[in-house]
Amino acid sequence: MTTQDIINSAEEHLIHTYNRYQIVLDKGDGVYLYDTDGKKYLDFGAGIAVFALGYNNKEFNDAVKAQVDKLVHTSNYFYNEPAAKAAKAVTEAAGMDRVFFTNSGTEAIEGAIKLAKKYAYLKSGSTDHEIIAMKNSFHGRSLGALAVTGNKHYQEAFGPMIPGIRFADFNDLDSVKALVNDKTCAIIFETVQGEGGVYPAKPEFLKGVRELCDEKGILLILDEIQCGMGRTGSMFAYQQYGVKPDIVTAAKAIACGLPLGAFMATEEVAKALVPGDHGSTYGGNPLATAACVKVFELYEKQQVLENVKKVGAYLAQQLDKVVEDYDIVKERRGAGLMQGLELTMPAGGAAKECIDNGLIIFTAGANILRFVPPLVITEANVDEAVIKLRAALDNLSK
Ligand SMILES: *Cc1c(COP(=O)(O)O)cnc(C)c1O
C-alpha cells in the first residue's frame, strides 16, 4: 500500500476520534522514528510517554518474542511466572504492598476508584461516598475515569457522570479542604498533571493533602500513569516529595508499549478487595507482564533514572534559554523528562511545525508543547531537538 492508500483506508474504516497528522509511521530505532516515505523523526513524544527505552531495543524485543513463543495468555484463574515477577518489581519500586494489573491507564483508575469505594463501604457500611478530584486533570476516557477528569469538554456529551465527585483547584490546599466532609472517601490527582498542561504538584500541596487525608481518614490516590516509571527522575514522582499515597496508578511506560496498567495499594487498603469484586480477562497476562519484567531489568541495567536526572536537567536548561529568546514562549515547567513549554498561542501550530522539521512532539492543554521523550535520550539528542524547535519558533515568530 502507498502512504496515501494507508491513510485513505484508515480514514474510511476507523471511527474518527482523532485528527491525525498525515504521516504513516513505519518503524523505529533508538530515539528515531521513520515514516513510510523514509523520513526520519527525532521522537520527543515516545508514543505519549510510553516507549521509555527507545525503539528496537534488542533485549526488550527478544524477551517479548520469547514469551510469545512460550505463552501469551492464560486468564487470571492460574498463576504465571511473568505476572508474579512483575508484581514484585512494580510494588517494590512504588513502595506499595499489592498490585492489580489492568490493560490500560483508564482501567487502572477504574480499579483505584472501586478499591477506594469498597474500603469506605467496609468502614461505614454506606455507599454514598464522595471523591475529590482536581480541575484541569486527566485520568482517562472510560466512564469512571472520565467522572474524575476535571475537563467539562471531555465529559459534556457523556453524562450523567457517576455521582459524588467534587472538583478542587490543583495546588490550592484550601480549595480541597473546603470540599471535605464526612462522606469524602478519597482525593485523587496526578503528582504531575500531564494532559492538563504539565503542572507539577507543589510540595506543600502534596504534603498538605497527605496530612489532611491522615487526619480525616481519607485515601490519597496518586495517578502516576504519565509521571511515574522514572519519567521525573525517581521511579514514582511522589518519592521526591517524601509522601506516600494509599493507592497509586501506573501504565504508559510500565511495559513500554505492551498494553499494561496497574493500581497498587498498601496492605491495609488492598485487602478491601476480595474474590469477585474485580477482575480482567487479559489484565496482567504473561506477554504484557514479561515485557514489564524486562522493562524493570533494563531500567536498572541502562541506569535510566540517572539518565533522566542528568538529561532532564539539561533539557530544562535548554528550554529556559528558549523562554528567554522568544516572545511567544511564556514559561517552562516540569520535572525530569516531563517538560512543558507554554506558548502565548495555541500549541498545535508549533507542534505541526516541529513535526514538519522532523521532531515529533505533543501538545498539552491548549497552549503547551509537551516534551516526553524516551528516557534514554542523550544531551546530543536534546541539542538536536532544540535546533528543530527553534526553527519552528522562528517561523511562528515571523
Ligand atoms: C494517559 C493517562 C491516563 C489514561 O491512560 P490510558 O492508557 O490512555 O487509558 C490516565 N491518567 C493519566 C495521568 C494519563 O496521562
Side-chain angles (χ1 to χ4, degrees):
M1 284 170 103
T2 67
T3 297
Q4 200 54 50
D5 288 342
I6 297 167
I7 292 173
N8 292 347
S9 176
E11 282 304 331
E12 195 176 329
H13 302 290
L14 290 172
I15 294 181
H16 194 90
T17 52
Y18 287 91
N19 287 317
R20 292 179 166 86
Y21 294 104
Q22 299 298 296
I23 293 168
V24 181
L25 290 175
D26 188 40
K27 60 182 186 194
D29 194 29
V31 296
Y32 293 96
L33 285 164
Y34 297 84
D35 70 16
T36 41
D37 300 326
K39 183 171 169 181
K40 182 178 176 182
Y41 301 86
L42 175 59
D43 181 25
F44 265 57
I48 318 189
V50 169
F51 232 100
L53 295 167
Y55 303 95
N56 204 16
N57 181 305
K58 186 171 183 324
E59 278 189 58
F60 178 79
N61 290 2
D62 286 347
V64 172
K65 287 177 200 167
Q67 191 61 45
V68 168
D69 287 339
K70 208 171 169 194
L71 184 65
V72 169
H73 179 75
T74 60
S75 93
N76 281 309
Y77 286 104
F78 302 92
Y79 298 98
N80 69 78
E81 185 175 340
K85 283 186 170 169
K88 182 172 190 300
V90 71
T91 51
E92 282 179 3
M96 291 284 126
D97 297 316
R98 293 182 181 273
V99 59
F100 181 102
F101 287 118
T102 67
N103 311 286
S104 66
T106 202
E107 284 172 77
I109 298 291
E110 299 294 325
I113 293 172
K114 281 182 71 178
L115 173 55
K117 282 181 177 274
K118 180 75 192 293
Y119 182 80
Y121 170 77
L122 291 177
K123 249 179 27 178
S124 71
S126 78
T127 55
D128 65 341
H129 293 103
E130 294 183 357
I131 296 173
I132 299 174
M134 301 299 143
K135 292 174 192 161
N136 198 42
S137 60
F138 182 82
H139 298 292
R141 304 291 195 153
S142 55
L143 283 164
L146 191 59
V148 291
T149 289
N151 183 326
K152 288 223 168 58
H153 174 71
Y154 288 166
Q155 292 185 346
E156 194 171 88
F158 305 104
M161 293 288 122
I162 60 168
I165 314 294
R166 292 159 157 260
F167 288 97
D169 291 310
F170 188 56
N171 276 333
D172 179 348
L173 185 58
D174 288 337
S175 80
V176 177
K177 285 185 175 162
L179 296 180
V180 169
N181 61 37
D182 292 345
K183 294 179 181 172
T184 311
C185 74
I187 300 175
I188 181 170
F189 56 90
E190 299 148 86
T191 317
V192 182
Q193 283 192 337
E195 310 293 318
V198 193
Y199 291 92
K202 294 197 174 120
E204 59 275 21
F205 178 73
L206 184 44
K207 286 185 188 141
V209 173
R210 177 70 269 179
E211 280 165 21
L212 179 67
C213 287
D214 289 341
E215 192 185 309
K216 307 268 184 193
I218 297 167
L219 297 181
L220 174 60
I221 306 172
L222 290 180
D223 180 352
E224 294 240 358
I225 289 169
Q226 189 161 158
C227 64
M229 288 306 295
R231 179 140 301 275
T232 69
S234 49
M235 261 336 272
F236 289 88
Y238 55 81
Q239 290 162 338
Q240 290 172 55
Y241 292 78
V243 162
K244 226 173 100 172
D246 302 291
I247 302 174
V248 53
T249 57
K252 291 205 161 86
I254 194 170
C256 278
L258 274 288
L260 188 70
F263 64 93
M264 293 171 262
T266 59
E267 180 69 31
E268 148 85 2
V269 175
K271 67 182 188 226
L273 290 181
V274 297
D277 278 345
H278 200 55
S280 170
T281 300
Y282 292 146
N285 85 15
L287 181 60
T289 49
C292 174
V293 170
K294 191 45 97 176
V295 165
F296 276 99
E297 268 177 47
L298 291 173
Y299 266 50
E300 195 77 29
K301 190 167 165 190
Q302 296 185 210
Q303 305 200 311
V304 163
L305 295 182
E306 287 71 18
N307 193 61
V308 173
K309 279 181 220 148
K310 180 169 146 263
V311 182
Y314 185 71
L315 173 62
Q317 199 185 62
Q318 298 309 307
L319 293 180
D320 282 341
K321 288 188 191 155
V322 170
V323 177
E324 276 172 36
D325 291 347
Y326 290 89
D327 290 341
I328 57 169
V329 184
K330 231 169 94 181
E331 181 181 57
R332 177 205 57 89
R333 324 181 263 274
L337 287 173
M338 181 171 181
Q339 297 286 339
L341 215 50
E342 181 162 346
L343 310 183
T344 58
M345 58 175 78
K352 171 86 174 47
E353 289 270 351
C354 286
I355 291 171
D356 288 347
N357 292 347
L359 173 66
I360 290 188
I361 193 160
F362 295 114
T363 61
N367 294 352
I368 294 116
L369 280 176
R370 174 168 36 155
F371 299 76
V372 284
L375 303 184
V376 295
I377 59 157
T378 62
E379 292 182 356
N381 295 142
V382 170
D383 289 339
E384 187 187 344
V386 170
I387 289 171
K388 292 176 189 294
L389 170 70
R390 282 178 177 268
L393 295 171
D394 284 338
N395 242 346
L396 288 167
S397 302
K398 272 184 195 149

